[in-house]
Amino acid sequence: MKRLSMTVLAACLALPAGALAEDLDGLTPEQLLPIAKKEGSVTVFSLSSRIAKIEKAFEGAYPGVDLIGLDMSSTKQIARVEAEQQAGVHAVDVLYIADTPVVFSKLVKENRVVNYVPPRIAGELEDRYKTPLLTQRLSTKVLMYNEKAFPDGAPITNLWQLTEPEWQGRVLMVDPSQRGELLDLLTEISLHSDEMAAAYKALYGKDIVVEDGLEGAGDQFIKALFENDLILLPNSDVLNKSIGDVDAKNPPVGFGTYSDRRDNEKEGWALQVANDVAPANGILFPAVLTIADKAPHPAAARLLIDFMFGDDSPTGGPGFEPFNVPGDYAVRKSIADAADSVKLADLKAWTIDLAKTAAARGRVADLIITLQ
């Protein structure tokens, strides 16, 4: 591939910010690199602590470009970007973020982020992964259990079992007011009312009766779950230890992140996904990469996004290997699912519909407030 000539480089650096961003979109990594080196650094807000591994790999691949990675929940990222940009501050370059219904309504529609699809991998991605936001991988919020305490498989095969006396006070979830992905999970349950009604009838042999004021079987499940003393936790570390502790005798179950199972050996956990659950075990949602409006280091931002899609090897190489673990699913077709993972086609999870979830989210949030 041709390297960016000094003439083109000088022209790029002389352009105003808006024109420069458009010009940068078509450049290869080799052409972006000299501009990124002149910028010197790139700052990313990341939903995953694994950004530390990316930092080391990226700086090894591109010496002279300092990656500053800040581990931050999607909820906090959205609030910070809104606050900073309203104050005229443009300090972050890249957002590695989930909670996409809110990103769509608060950041995309308000032009606070810029969608960028690296030319190198554009032809390999399905259209749904390229717009309105660029999806790097699919992550999960699904029902997890302790496979040591339940060696014969998950103790739950139907979501409605979680509302029964046996599981009173033994179902966990990170507080959905703190982690938007959990609110997305409850919203998706609400939106799949027909399936929730069918699962109820399959378990109990009769039609569900939905109370006045609720919009269907999904809402009825959410109400029943809270009334069965659903435990809301401050973070996923507490949730994972509570569910997965290898010494636990009668552990709870809960909605967590399937890929946290990667830490089982290190943390002394026995986390496992409950996959054979009717009507679904949770949700699949996109983890997206996007560039902040007026990013101070636009070339380095594009170089980082390209890097985080990995190389052409089956594991994705250093740019993607931290995410090539059971429970994370690459959207690049050349990258294979992790060997110990339930295959994506076999995972019994709903894929969130960004627009529908965004539209229903407020209503479900209001319902939750009345139940707490």
Side-chain angles (χ1 to χ4, degrees):
M1 286 180 274
K2 295 181 180 178
R3 293 189 176 277
L4 188 67
S5 70
M6 293 305 295
T7 302
V8 174
L9 174 58
C12 283
L13 295 178
L15 288 171
L20 175 60
E22 293 177 5
D23 191 82
L24 292 174
D25 281 353
L27 299 186
T28 66
E30 291 80 9
Q31 293 169 332
L32 287 168
L33 181 56
I35 312 174
K37 282 186 174 180
K38 187 174 180 67
E39 294 171 348
S41 67
V42 57
T43 298
V44 55
F45 293 165
S46 172
L47 62 90
S48 172
S49 61
R50 286 173 278 179
I51 196 64
K53 294 181 178 179
I54 295 298
E55 180 178 350
K56 182 177 180 180
F58 179 80
E59 292 177 352
Y62 299 117
V65 186
D66 181 26
L67 172 55
I68 303 166
L70 303 176
D71 185 6
M72 190 181 302
S73 73
S74 299
T75 301
K76 290 182 178 179
Q77 287 188 50
I78 293 164
R80 182 158 168 179
V81 168
E82 280 193 307
E84 287 187 353
Q85 291 189 4
Q86 286 170 0
V89 175
H90 299 274
V92 64
D93 298 295
V94 175
L95 305 182
Y96 188 31
I97 192 168
D99 206 359
T100 48
V102 180
V103 176
F104 179 70
S105 61
K106 290 195 172 184
L107 300 186
V108 175
K109 286 189 173 181
E110 295 180 7
N111 298 314
R112 299 194 184 279
V113 293
V114 177
N115 195 37
Y116 165 69
V117 180
R120 180 178 65 91
I121 51 91
E124 194 178 338
L125 303 182
E126 296 178 30
D127 288 344
R128 59 179 171 150
Y129 297 137
K130 292 188 285 189
T131 185
L133 296 158
L134 177 67
T135 299
Q136 185 240 15
R137 63 181 169 96
L138 298 176
S139 187
T140 62
K141 289 299 176 189
V142 289
L143 191 65
M144 303 292 290
Y145 74 100
N146 186 314
E147 63 181 348
K148 183 176 180 183
F150 300 102
D152 295 328
I156 298 296
T157 58
N158 188 306
L159 287 182
W160 286 99
Q161 291 173 259
L162 300 176
T163 68
E164 295 176 351
E166 178 186 356
W167 293 98
Q168 184 175 11
R170 296 178 59 218
V171 182
L172 312 181
M173 175 186 292
V174 175
D175 188 341
S177 69
Q178 301 300 315
R179 293 296 300 229
E181 299 93 334
L182 278 308
L183 181 54
D184 292 342
L185 166 67
L186 295 174
T187 302
E188 206 65 23
I189 289 171
S190 175
L191 290 172
H192 285 82
S193 280
D194 288 348
E195 292 173 60
M196 292 300 296
Y200 182 94
K201 187 168 185 176
L203 184 64
Y204 299 118
K206 59 183 180 181
D207 292 330
I208 188 170
V209 176
V210 178
E211 298 174 31
D212 291 341
L214 300 179
E215 293 201 3
D219 283 12
Q220 189 69 57
F221 171 82
I222 293 170
K223 184 173 187 292
L225 187 64
F226 274 83
E227 290 178 345
N228 207 35
D229 297 334
L230 173 68
I231 304 296
L232 299 181
L233 299 173
N235 58 61
S236 57
D237 289 339
V238 177
L239 181 138
N240 290 335
K241 179 175 175 56
S242 299
I243 297 172
D245 186 350
V246 293
D247 296 321
K249 302 303 179 186
N250 191 31
V253 297
F255 293 97
T257 304
Y258 179 13
S259 62
D260 283 348
R261 188 171 182 267
R262 69 186 183 275
D263 291 329
N264 273 359
E265 184 175 350
K266 180 179 74 173
E267 300 290 348
W269 298 337
L271 291 170
Q272 182 57 279
V273 63
N275 193 45
D276 189 17
V277 177
N281 61 3
I283 59 170
L284 276 161
F285 61 87
V288 304
L289 284 164
T290 189
I291 298 175
D293 182 44
K294 297 183 178 64
H297 310 104
R302 286 161 174 78
L303 192 64
L304 174 61
I305 289 176
D306 179 278
F307 181 78
M308 288 181 65
F309 272 86
D311 61 25
D312 294 332
S313 67
T315 65
F320 192 80
E321 282 175 356
F323 308 106
N324 191 15
V325 299
D328 279 332
Y329 299 95
V331 296
R332 286 192 66 191
K333 298 174 183 177
S334 60
I335 300 177
D337 293 341
D340 191 30
S341 183
V342 174
K343 298 301 180 185
L344 179 58
D346 298 328
L347 188 70
K348 304 291 179 63
W350 292 308
T351 300
I352 70 169
D353 183 307
L354 188 151
K356 289 182 179 179
T357 303
R361 216 169 179 268
R363 176 182 61 77
V364 175
D366 289 344
L367 172 62
I368 292 169
I369 290 172
T370 69
L371 299 173
Q372 290 178 297

Coordinates of all heavy atoms in Angstrom, one line a residue, residues 2-78:
K2 N 0.4 2.3 -0.7 CA 1.2 3.5 -0.8 C 1.2 4.3 0.6 O 0.2 4.4 1.2 CB 0.6 4.4 -1.9 CG 0.8 3.8 -3.3 CD 0.2 4.8 -4.3 CE 0.3 4.2 -5.7 NZ -0.3 5.1 -6.7
R3 N 2.3 4.8 0.9 CA 2.4 5.7 2.1 C 1.9 7.1 1.7 O 2.0 7.5 0.6 CB 3.8 5.7 2.7 CG 4.2 4.3 3.2 CD 5.6 4.5 4.0 NE 5.9 3.2 4.6 CZ 5.5 2.7 5.7 NH1 4.6 3.5 6.4 NH2 5.8 1.6 6.2
L4 N 1.4 7.8 2.8 CA 1.0 9.1 2.5 C 2.2 10.0 2.2 O 3.2 10.1 2.9 CB 0.3 9.6 3.8 CG -0.4 11.0 3.7 CD1 -1.6 10.9 2.8 CD2 -0.8 11.4 5.1
S5 N 2.1 10.7 1.1 CA 3.2 11.6 0.7 C 3.3 12.8 1.6 O 2.3 13.2 2.2 CB 3.0 12.0 -0.8 OG 1.9 12.9 -0.9
M6 N 4.5 13.4 1.6 CA 4.6 14.6 2.4 C 3.7 15.7 1.9 O 3.2 16.5 2.7 CB 6.1 15.1 2.4 CG 7.0 14.1 3.1 SD 6.6 13.7 4.8 CE 6.8 15.3 5.5
T7 N 3.4 15.8 0.6 CA 2.5 16.8 0.1 C 1.1 16.6 0.6 O 0.5 17.5 1.1 CB 2.5 16.7 -1.5 OG1 3.9 16.9 -1.9 CG2 1.6 17.8 -2.0
V8 N 0.6 15.3 0.6 CA -0.7 15.0 1.1 C -0.8 15.3 2.6 O -1.7 15.8 3.1 CB -1.1 13.6 0.7 CG1 -2.5 13.2 1.3 CG2 -1.2 13.4 -0.8
L9 N 0.3 14.8 3.3 CA 0.3 15.0 4.7 C 0.2 16.5 5.1 O -0.6 16.9 5.9 CB 1.6 14.5 5.3 CG 1.9 14.7 6.8 CD1 0.7 14.2 7.6 CD2 3.2 14.1 7.2
A10 N 1.0 17.4 4.4 CA 0.9 18.8 4.6 C -0.4 19.4 4.3 O -1.0 20.2 5.1 CB 2.0 19.5 3.8
A11 N -1.0 18.9 3.3 CA -2.4 19.3 2.9 C -3.4 19.0 4.0 O -4.3 19.8 4.3 CB -2.8 18.8 1.5
C12 N -3.3 17.7 4.5 CA -4.2 17.2 5.5 C -4.1 18.1 6.7 O -5.1 18.5 7.3 CB -3.9 15.8 5.9 SG -4.6 14.6 4.6
L13 N -2.9 18.4 7.1 CA -2.7 19.1 8.4 C -3.1 20.6 8.3 O -3.3 21.2 9.2 CB -1.2 19.0 8.8 CG -0.7 17.6 9.1 CD1 0.8 17.6 9.5 CD2 -1.5 17.1 10.3
A14 N -3.2 21.1 7.0 CA -3.6 22.5 6.8 C -5.1 22.6 6.7 O -5.6 23.7 6.8 CB -3.0 23.0 5.5
L15 N -5.8 21.5 6.6 CA -7.3 21.6 6.4 C -8.0 22.0 7.7 O -7.5 21.6 8.8 CB -7.8 20.3 5.9 CG -7.5 19.9 4.5 CD1 -8.0 18.5 4.2 CD2 -8.2 20.9 3.5
P16 N -9.1 22.7 7.7 CA -9.9 22.9 8.9 C -10.4 21.6 9.4 O -10.5 20.6 8.7 CB -11.0 23.8 8.4 CG -11.1 23.6 7.0 CD -9.7 23.3 6.5
A17 N -10.8 21.6 10.7 CA -11.2 20.3 11.4 C -12.2 19.5 10.7 O -12.1 18.3 10.5 CB -11.7 20.6 12.8
G18 N -13.3 20.1 10.2 CA -14.4 19.3 9.5 C -13.9 18.7 8.3 O -14.1 17.5 8.0
A19 N -13.2 19.4 7.4 CA -12.7 18.9 6.2 C -11.6 17.8 6.4 O -11.5 16.8 5.8 CB -12.1 20.0 5.3
L20 N -10.8 18.0 7.5 CA -9.7 17.1 7.8 C -10.4 15.7 8.2 O -9.9 14.7 7.7 CB -8.9 17.6 9.0 CG -7.8 16.7 9.5 CD1 -6.8 16.3 8.5 CD2 -7.1 17.3 10.7
A21 N -11.4 15.7 9.0 CA -12.1 14.5 9.4 C -12.6 13.7 8.2 O -12.4 12.5 8.1 CB -13.2 14.8 10.4
E22 N -13.2 14.4 7.2 CA -13.7 13.8 6.0 C -12.6 13.2 5.2 O -12.6 12.1 4.7 CB -14.5 14.8 5.2 CG -15.8 15.2 5.9 CD -16.6 16.2 5.0 OE1 -16.1 16.5 3.9 OE2 -17.6 16.8 5.5
D23 N -11.5 13.9 5.1 CA -10.3 13.5 4.3 C -9.7 12.2 5.0 O -9.3 11.3 4.3 CB -9.3 14.6 4.2 CG -8.2 14.3 3.2 OD1 -8.5 14.5 2.0 OD2 -7.2 13.8 3.6
L24 N -9.6 12.2 6.3 CA -9.0 11.1 7.0 C -9.8 9.8 6.9 O -9.2 8.7 7.0 CB -8.9 11.5 8.5 CG -7.9 12.6 8.9 CD1 -8.1 12.9 10.4 CD2 -6.5 12.2 8.6
D25 N -11.1 9.9 6.7 CA -11.9 8.7 6.7 C -11.5 7.7 5.6 O -11.6 6.4 5.8 CB -13.4 9.0 6.4 CG -14.1 9.5 7.6 OD1 -13.5 9.5 8.7 OD2 -15.2 10.0 7.5
G26 N -10.9 8.1 4.5 CA -10.5 7.2 3.4 C -9.1 6.7 3.5 O -8.7 5.9 2.6
L27 N -8.3 7.1 4.5 CA -6.9 6.8 4.6 C -6.7 5.4 5.2 O -7.5 4.9 6.1 CB -6.2 7.8 5.4 CG -6.2 9.2 4.9 CD1 -5.3 10.1 5.8 CD2 -5.8 9.3 3.4
T28 N -5.7 4.7 4.8 CA -5.3 3.4 5.3 C -4.5 3.7 6.7 O -4.1 4.8 7.0 CB -4.3 2.7 4.4 OG1 -3.1 3.5 4.3 CG2 -4.9 2.6 3.0
P29 N -4.4 2.6 7.5 CA -3.6 2.8 8.7 C -2.2 3.3 8.4 O -1.7 4.2 9.2 CB -3.5 1.4 9.3 CG -4.8 0.7 8.8 CD -5.0 1.3 7.4
E30 N -1.6 2.9 7.4 CA -0.2 3.3 7.0 C -0.2 4.8 6.7 O 0.8 5.6 7.0 CB 0.3 2.6 5.8 CG 0.6 1.1 6.1 CD -0.6 0.2 6.1 OE1 -1.7 0.7 5.7 OE2 -0.5 -1.0 6.5
Q31 N -1.3 5.3 6.1 CA -1.4 6.7 5.8 C -1.8 7.6 7.0 O -1.4 8.7 7.2 CB -2.4 6.9 4.7 CG -1.9 6.4 3.3 CD -3.1 6.3 2.3 OE1 -4.2 6.2 2.7 NE2 -2.7 6.4 1.0
L32 N -2.5 7.0 7.9 CA -2.9 7.7 9.2 C -1.8 7.8 10.1 O -1.7 8.8 10.9 CB -4.1 6.9 9.9 CG -5.5 7.0 9.2 CD1 -6.4 5.9 9.9 CD2 -6.1 8.4 9.4
L33 N -0.9 6.9 10.1 CA 0.2 6.8 11.2 C 1.0 8.1 11.3 O 1.2 8.6 12.4 CB 1.1 5.6 10.9 CG 2.2 5.4 12.0 CD1 1.6 5.3 13.4 CD2 3.0 4.1 11.7
P34 N 1.6 8.6 10.2 CA 2.4 9.8 10.4 C 1.6 11.0 10.9 O 2.2 11.9 11.7 CB 2.9 10.1 9.0 CG 2.0 9.4 8.0 CD 1.6 8.2 8.8
I35 N 0.3 11.1 10.6 CA -0.5 12.2 11.1 C -0.8 11.9 12.6 O -0.7 12.8 13.4 CB -1.8 12.3 10.4 CG1 -1.6 12.3 8.9 CG2 -2.6 13.6 10.8 CD1 -2.9 12.3 8.0
A36 N -1.0 10.7 12.9 CA -1.3 10.3 14.3 C 0.0 10.5 15.2 O -0.2 11.0 16.4 CB -1.7 8.8 14.4
K37 N 1.1 10.3 14.7 CA 2.4 10.5 15.4 C 2.5 12.0 15.7 O 3.0 12.4 16.8 CB 3.6 10.0 14.6 CG 3.7 8.5 14.7 CD 5.0 8.1 14.1 CE 5.3 6.6 14.3 NZ 6.6 6.1 13.7
K38 N 2.1 12.8 14.7 CA 2.2 14.3 15.0 C 1.2 14.7 16.1 O 1.5 15.6 16.9 CB 1.9 15.0 13.7 CG 2.1 16.5 13.8 CD 2.0 17.2 12.4 CE 2.2 18.7 12.5 NZ 3.6 19.1 12.8
E39 N 0.0 14.1 16.1 CA -0.9 14.4 17.1 C -0.4 13.9 18.5 O -0.7 14.5 19.5 CB -2.3 13.7 16.8 CG -3.0 14.3 15.6 CD -4.2 13.4 15.2 OE1 -4.4 12.3 15.7 OE2 -4.9 13.9 14.3
G40 N 0.3 12.7 18.5 CA 1.0 12.3 19.7 C 0.2 11.4 20.6 O 0.9 10.6 21.4
S41 N -1.1 11.4 20.7 CA -1.8 10.6 21.7 C -3.3 10.4 21.2 O -3.7 11.1 20.3 CB -1.8 11.3 23.0 OG -2.5 12.5 23.1
V42 N -4.0 9.5 21.9 CA -5.4 9.3 21.6 C -6.0 8.9 23.0 O -5.5 8.1 23.7 CB -5.6 8.3 20.5 CG1 -5.0 6.9 20.9 CG2 -7.1 8.1 20.3
T43 N -7.1 9.5 23.3 CA -7.8 9.2 24.6 C -9.1 8.5 24.3 O -9.9 8.9 23.4 CB -8.1 10.5 25.4 OG1 -6.9 11.2 25.7 CG2 -8.9 10.2 26.6
V44 N -9.3 7.4 25.0 CA -10.5 6.6 24.8 C -11.2 6.4 26.1 O -10.6 6.0 27.1 CB -10.2 5.2 24.1 CG1 -9.2 4.5 24.9 CG2 -11.5 4.4 23.9
F45 N -12.5 6.6 26.2 CA -13.4 6.1 27.3 C -13.8 4.7 27.0 O -14.3 4.5 25.9 CB -14.6 7.0 27.5 CG -14.3 8.4 27.9 CD1 -15.3 9.4 27.8 CD2 -13.1 8.8 28.5 CE1 -15.1 10.7 28.2 CE2 -12.9 10.1 28.9 CZ -13.9 11.0 28.7
S46 N -13.6 3.8 27.9 CA -13.9 2.4 27.6 C -14.8 1.7 28.6 O -14.6 1.8 29.8 CB -12.6 1.6 27.5 OG -12.8 0.2 27.4
L47 N -15.8 1.0 28.0 CA -16.7 0.2 28.9 C -16.0 -1.0 29.5 O -16.5 -1.6 30.4 CB -17.9 -0.3 28.1 CG -17.7 -1.2 26.9 CD1 -17.7 -2.6 27.3 CD2 -18.7 -0.9 25.8
S48 N -14.9 -1.4 29.0 CA -14.2 -2.6 29.4 C -12.8 -2.2 30.0 O -12.0 -1.5 29.4 CB -14.0 -3.6 28.3 OG -13.2 -4.7 28.7
S49 N -12.4 -2.9 31.1 CA -11.1 -2.7 31.7 C -10.0 -3.3 30.8 O -8.8 -3.1 31.0 CB -11.0 -3.4 33.1 OG -11.3 -4.7 33.0
R50 N -10.5 -4.1 29.8 CA -9.5 -4.7 28.9 C -8.8 -3.7 28.0 O -7.9 -4.0 27.2 CB -10.2 -5.8 28.1 CG -10.5 -7.1 28.9 CD -11.4 -8.1 28.1 NE -12.8 -7.8 28.1 CZ -13.7 -8.5 27.5 NH1 -13.4 -9.5 26.8 NH2 -15.0 -8.1 27.6
I51 N -9.2 -2.5 28.1 CA -8.6 -1.4 27.3 C -7.1 -1.3 27.7 O -6.3 -0.9 26.9 CB -9.3 -0.1 27.5 CG1 -8.8 0.9 26.4 CG2 -9.1 0.5 28.9 CD1 -9.2 0.5 25.0
A52 N -6.8 -1.8 28.9 CA -5.4 -1.7 29.4 C -4.5 -2.7 28.5 O -3.4 -2.3 28.2 CB -5.3 -2.2 30.8
K53 N -5.1 -3.8 28.1 CA -4.3 -4.7 27.2 C -4.2 -4.1 25.8 O -3.2 -4.3 25.1 CB -5.0 -6.1 27.2 CG -5.0 -6.8 28.5 CD -5.7 -8.2 28.4 CE -5.6 -8.9 29.7 NZ -6.3 -10.2 29.6
I54 N -5.3 -3.4 25.4 CA -5.2 -2.8 24.1 C -4.2 -1.7 24.1 O -3.5 -1.5 23.1 CB -6.6 -2.2 23.7 CG1 -7.6 -3.4 23.5 CG2 -6.6 -1.4 22.4 CD1 -7.3 -4.3 22.4
E55 N -4.1 -1.0 25.2 CA -3.1 0.1 25.3 C -1.7 -0.4 25.0 O -0.9 0.2 24.2 CB -3.2 0.8 26.7 CG -2.2 1.9 26.9 CD -2.4 2.6 28.3 OE1 -3.4 2.2 29.0 OE2 -1.5 3.4 28.6
K56 N -1.4 -1.5 25.7 CA 0.0 -2.0 25.5 C 0.2 -2.5 24.1 O 1.3 -2.2 23.5 CB 0.2 -3.2 26.5 CG 1.6 -3.8 26.4 CD 1.7 -4.9 27.5 CE 3.1 -5.6 27.4 NZ 3.2 -6.7 28.5
A57 N -0.8 -3.2 23.5 CA -0.6 -3.7 22.1 C -0.6 -2.6 21.1 O 0.2 -2.6 20.2 CB -1.8 -4.7 21.8
F58 N -1.4 -1.6 21.3 CA -1.5 -0.5 20.3 C -0.2 0.3 20.3 O 0.4 0.7 19.3 CB -2.7 0.4 20.7 CG -2.8 1.7 19.8 CD1 -3.4 1.5 18.6 CD2 -2.4 2.9 20.2 CE1 -3.6 2.7 17.7 CE2 -2.5 4.0 19.4 CZ -3.1 3.9 18.2
E59 N 0.3 0.6 21.5 CA 1.6 1.4 21.6 C 2.8 0.6 21.1 O 3.7 1.2 20.6 CB 1.8 1.9 23.0 CG 0.8 2.9 23.5 CD 0.9 3.3 24.9 OE1 1.7 2.7 25.6 OE2 0.3 4.3 25.3
G60 N 2.7 -0.7 21.2 CA 3.7 -1.6 20.6 C 3.7 -1.6 19.1 O 4.7 -1.6 18.4
A61 N 2.5 -1.5 18.6 CA 2.3 -1.5 17.1 C 2.6 -0.2 16.5 O 3.1 -0.1 15.4 CB 0.9 -2.0 16.7
Y62 N 2.3 0.9 17.3 CA 2.4 2.2 16.7 C 3.2 3.1 17.7 O 2.6 4.0 18.4 CB 1.0 2.9 16.5 CG 0.2 2.1 15.4 CD1 -1.0 1.5 15.8 CD2 0.7 2.0 14.1 CE1 -1.7 0.8 14.8 CE2 0.0 1.3 13.2 CZ -1.2 0.7 13.5 OH -1.9 0.0 12.6
P63 N 4.5 2.9 17.9 CA 5.3 3.7 18.8 C 5.2 5.2 18.4 O 5.1 5.5 17.2 CB 6.7 3.2 18.5 CG 6.6 1.9 17.9 CD 5.3 1.9 17.1
G64 N 5.1 6.0 19.4 CA 5.0 7.4 19.2 C 3.6 7.9 19.3 O 3.3 9.1 19.2
V65 N 2.6 7.0 19.4 CA 1.2 7.4 19.7 C 0.8 6.9 21.0 O 0.6 5.6 21.2 CB 0.2 6.9 18.6 CG1 -1.2 7.5 18.8 CG2 0.8 7.2 17.2
D66 N 0.6 7.7 22.0 CA 0.3 7.3 23.4 C -1.2 7.1 23.5 O -2.0 8.0 23.2 CB 0.8 8.4 24.3 CG 0.5 8.1 25.8 OD1 0.4 6.9 26.1 OD2 0.3 9.0 26.6
L67 N -1.6 5.9 23.9 CA -3.0 5.6 24.2 C -3.3 5.8 25.6 O -2.7 5.2 26.5 CB -3.3 4.2 23.8 CG -4.7 3.6 24.1 CD1 -5.8 4.5 23.5 CD2 -4.9 2.2 23.6
I68 N -4.3 6.7 25.9 CA -4.8 7.0 27.2 C -6.1 6.3 27.4 O -7.1 6.8 26.8 CB -4.8 8.5 27.5 CG1 -3.4 9.1 27.3 CG2 -5.3 8.8 28.9 CD1 -3.5 10.6 27.2
G69 N -6.2 5.2 28.1 CA -7.5 4.5 28.2 C -8.1 4.7 29.6 O -7.4 4.4 30.6
L70 N -9.3 5.1 29.6 CA -10.0 5.4 30.9 C -11.2 4.4 31.0 O -12.1 4.5 30.1 CB -10.5 6.8 31.0 CG -9.4 7.9 30.8 CD1 -10.0 9.3 30.8 CD2 -8.4 7.8 32.0
D71 N -11.2 3.5 31.9 CA -12.3 2.6 32.2 C -13.5 3.3 32.7 O -13.4 3.9 33.8 CB -11.8 1.5 33.1 CG -12.8 0.3 33.3 OD1 -13.8 0.3 32.6 OD2 -12.5 -0.5 34.1
M72 N -14.6 3.3 32.0 CA -15.8 4.1 32.4 C -17.1 3.4 31.9 O -17.1 3.0 30.8 CB -15.6 5.5 31.9 CG -16.6 6.5 32.3 SD -16.3 8.1 31.6 CE -14.6 8.4 32.0
S73 N -18.1 3.3 32.8 CA -19.3 2.7 32.3 C -20.0 3.6 31.2 O -19.7 4.7 31.1 CB -20.3 2.6 33.5 OG -20.8 3.9 33.9
S74 N -20.8 2.9 30.5 CA -21.5 3.6 29.4 C -22.3 4.8 29.9 O -22.3 5.9 29.3 CB -22.4 2.6 28.6 OG -21.6 1.6 28.0
T75 N -23.0 4.6 31.0 CA -23.8 5.6 31.6 C -23.0 6.9 31.9 O -23.3 8.0 31.6 CB -24.5 5.1 32.9 OG1 -25.3 4.0 32.5 CG2 -25.4 6.2 33.5
K76 N -21.8 6.6 32.5 CA -20.9 7.8 32.9 C -20.3 8.4 31.6 O -20.1 9.6 31.6 CB -19.8 7.3 33.8 CG -20.3 6.9 35.2 CD -19.2 6.5 36.1 CE -19.7 6.2 37.5 NZ -18.7 5.7 38.5
Q77 N -20.0 7.6 30.6 CA -19.5 8.2 29.4 C -20.4 9.1 28.8 O -20.1 10.2 28.3 CB -19.2 7.0 28.4 CG -18.0 6.2 28.7 CD -17.6 5.2 27.5 OE1 -17.5 5.7 26.4 NE2 -17.5 4.0 27.8
I78 N -21.7 8.7 28.7 CA -22.7 9.6 28.0 C -22.9 10.9 28.8 O -22.9 12.0 28.2 CB -24.1 8.8 28.0 CG1 -23.9 7.6 27.0 CG2 -25.2 9.7 27.5 CD1 -25.1 6.6 27.2

